Amino acid sequence: MTSNNTPPPAPGLGIWANLGIWIAFGAAFGVLVGVVVGGFFDNLAYGVALGSSIGPGLGITAWAVFIAPRRNARRDS
């Protein structure tokens, strides 16, 4: 027996609710910042490695701070 009483998914968030998108943007931002930082220290490989390792973490953090609370609030209401 099935029930049709399940709530619909949170509206209005679209693609931005996807954690993978935030990780990808964080990685891209990290590489970009890494290129700039690497240029300052005359070591491009170091900058890119540093940026690509920190960037996905920044994306996850941004998702957890800005998107996850909105998703949970809309789901609970």
Side-chain angles (χ1 to χ4, degrees):
M1 187 178 229
T2 60
S3 172
N4 292 331
N5 295 331
T6 59
L13 293 175
I15 194 169
W16 298 107
N18 188 349
L19 178 59
I21 297 296
W22 284 89
I23 292 172
F25 280 136
F29 179 74
V31 169
L32 180 66
V33 169
V35 168
V36 173
V37 170
F40 284 132
F41 292 112
D42 291 331
N43 191 347
L44 192 61
Y46 171 74
V48 170
L50 180 66
S52 63
S53 64
I54 294 174
L58 291 174
I60 292 170
T61 303
W63 178 83
V65 170
F66 296 112
I67 298 298
R70 289 180 57 197
R71 288 182 72 183
N72 292 337
R74 289 184 182 189
R75 187 174 294 146
D76 291 342
S77 60

